[in-house]
Amino acid sequence: MSAASKHIVVTGASRGIGRAVAVACGARGWRVVVNYARDAEAAQDTVRAAIAAGGQALAVQADVSDEAQTRALFAAADAAYGPLDGFVANAGIVAPVGRFLDMDAARWRRLFEVNVVGLMVSTQEAARRMVLSRGGPGGSVVLISSAAARLGSPDMYVDYAASKGAVDTLTLGLGRELCADGVRVNGVRPGIIDTDIHAAAGEPDRAARMAPGLPMRRAGRAEEVAEAVAFLLSDASSYMTGAILDVTGGR
Ligand code: NAP
């Protein structure tokens, strides 16, 4: 991987953790492709923040659950910034809090289409570009999981937790399958981070409500997750692959 200005693609970077990752990449002088699904204005705001931090940035719309759009995202990244050095599979969704007994299969399909299949298609596109055996520069992939993968999220969203369990397993497998071909794959498991995602689960104040019961007595900030991601993207983590970092304030 080139040491100077890395080219990084981040999915779901219009808001929350992905936005913070894009800005952290900008602060390192890297070139970042800011993917988003729906919110073009928020994505442009991320682009401005990443540039203000010292990098280059470009917004590209693609719903990661749409295979054609996802493959086109990487073609756009190729055209803008050339060889790829790193990829962050961050785009992810939850569904309203509920009990397993009351859920339907349409909900499960949507969760797995975005959190698992979308993550796999986008990671495959990134890896095909970076592996040494296909003429790539080598690189680093970071898969965003969740503490839910090891907690199971009973009475909340066991389906979301299961999708993140799949992400952890992919980290273990791909971290070992691709490392001899120049690509490291690691994971980050955020805990309770104060972003918009909790509103989508029907609990906009979840971070504040959970804070007193967390080991650090506070929720995390997206920027605190982004620093761990930037470390895994960087050459400072050169001997790490197949590892999963908890950024959970001890949860
Ligand atoms: P967020 O604030 O809801 O932001 C989600 C981002 O993903 C937005 O930029 C959104 O783009 C994008 N996105 C959603 N669906 C997409 C799709 N189908 N294709 C492409 N982009 C899509 O979420 P967050 O809290 O930052 O979460 C980011 C990741 O961290 C997720 O994988 C989540 O599971 C994980 N995580 C979060 C927490 C937490 O407490 N916040 C904890 C553990 C793990 P648009 O707005 O443009 O649609």
Side-chain angles (χ1 to χ4, degrees), residues 129-235:
R129 284 163 170 77
M130 295 192 294
V131 288
L132 303 175
S133 59
R134 295 189 180 205
S140 172
V141 172
V142 182
L143 305 182
I144 304 298
S145 173
S146 169
R150 57 176 169 70
L151 297 171
S153 303
D155 301 311
M156 287 205 62
Y157 29 57
V158 292
D159 47 0
Y160 169 79
S163 76
K164 293 301 188 177
V167 173
D168 280 2
T169 302
L170 282 162
T171 300
L172 299 178
L174 293 177
R176 290 160 181 89
E177 180 167 326
L178 299 176
C179 63
D181 208 356
V183 175
R184 300 183 294 109
V185 181
N186 294 287
V188 169
R189 275 194 298 234
I192 304 287
I193 311 299
D194 192 6
T195 72
D196 295 346
I197 203 169
H198 307 295
E203 287 206 280
D205 60 350
R206 177 169 161 77
R209 185 172 54 75
M210 296 282 291
L214 298 174
M216 283 195 185
R217 309 284 186 263
R218 68 171 179 86
R221 299 187 307 276
E223 292 75 14
E224 294 176 303
V225 180
E227 285 302 314
V229 174
F231 164 69
L232 291 172
L233 288 171
S234 80
D235 300 345

Side-chain angles (χ1 to χ4, degrees), residues 66-83:
D66 182 309
E67 182 175 346
Q69 287 183 22
T70 303
R71 299 205 188 278
L73 161 68
F74 284 88
D78 294 340
Y81 296 138

Side-chain angles (χ1 to χ4, degrees), residues 11-19 35-40 42-43 46 61-66 69-70 89-94 110 113-115 119 144-148 157 160 163-164 188-198 200 206-207 220 222 225 247:
T11 60
S14 50
R15 293 180 286 113
I17 292 168
R19 180 188 200 280
N35 161 252
Y36 67 100
R38 291 169 293 109
D39 196 339
T46 301
Q61 193 279 335
D63 181 331
V64 298
S65 70
D66 182 309
Q69 287 183 22
T70 303
N90 168 77
I93 56 171
V94 291
R110 180 64 190 158
E113 281 290 334
V114 175
N115 292 2
L119 175 140
I144 304 298
S145 173
S146 169
Y157 29 57
Y160 169 79
S163 76
K164 293 301 188 177
V188 169
R189 275 194 298 234
I192 304 287
I193 311 299
D194 192 6
T195 72
D196 295 346
I197 203 169
H198 307 295
R206 177 169 161 77
V225 180
V247 184

Side-chain angles (χ1 to χ4, degrees), residues 43-132:
Q44 283 307 328
D45 192 66
T46 301
V47 164
R48 285 190 288 273
I51 292 170
Q56 298 177 50
L58 165 83
V60 179
Q61 193 279 335
D63 181 331
V64 298
S65 70
D66 182 309
E67 182 175 346
Q69 287 183 22
T70 303
R71 299 205 188 278
L73 161 68
F74 284 88
D78 294 340
Y81 296 138
L84 186 65
D85 299 299
F87 172 60
V88 183
N90 168 77
I93 56 171
V94 291
V97 167
R99 297 196 71 220
F100 178 73
L101 298 178
D102 302 320
M103 294 173 183
D104 61 28
R107 163 187 166 125
W108 296 337
R109 285 195 187 90
R110 180 64 190 158
L111 268 175
F112 276 74
E113 281 290 334
V114 175
N115 292 2
V116 182
V117 181
L119 175 140
M120 292 173 78
V121 171
S122 53
T123 298
Q124 182 187 56
E125 283 295 313
R128 283 176 172 170
R129 284 163 170 77
M130 295 192 294
V131 288
L132 303 175

